[in-house]
Amino acid sequence: EPSVFNGPEVTMKKDALHWGDVEHRDVHNLYGMQVAKGTWHGQAKRLSKRPFVLTRSFFAGSQRFGAMWTGDNKAEWSHLRDSVPML
């Protein structure tokens, strides 16, 4: 979630680094994408058909393994406007 780095509930410093000087905010949702990928492959093997996976934790390429849900939104223009940058 982008909100982990800004807003009133900051849980991690913006300059948090991983091995190789990779910023955490650049790979934050990579784990979630791997979970969606594993779920997709496991269900595809078990069900012998294309599975449906819904995830809130997405990263570049996640659309190959499931649908992305940006959270609870109302049917209002302001919610649509705010959700578009998340996609």
Side-chain angles (χ1 to χ4, degrees):
E1 301 273 338
S3 62
V4 79
F5 300 105
N6 51 30
E9 298 178 6
V10 177
T11 58
M12 185 170 284
K13 293 183 179 182
K14 290 184 179 183
D15 60 355
L17 296 176
H18 288 273
W19 182 81
D21 292 332
V22 176
E23 289 189 24
H24 179 77
R25 60 184 168 174
D26 291 337
V27 296
H28 177 71
N29 289 330
L30 189 57
Y31 176 79
M33 185 193 84
Q34 294 298 325
V35 170
K37 180 180 179 180
T39 301
W40 190 94
H41 283 291
Q43 287 191 1
K45 185 176 180 180
R46 182 173 184 250
L47 301 174
S48 299
K49 60 182 179 178
R50 186 177 180 198
F52 176 76
V53 177
L54 183 63
T55 182
R56 279 195 67 197
S57 181
F58 47 92
F59 193 76
S62 295
Q63 73 279 3
R64 292 175 290 175
F65 308 111
M68 296 175 280
W69 176 50
T70 58
D72 296 324
N73 296 325
K74 293 181 180 179
E76 297 177 1
W77 288 113
S78 62
H79 283 243
L80 175 63
R81 182 195 67 233
D82 295 340
S83 68
V84 170
M86 294 186 223
L87 301 175

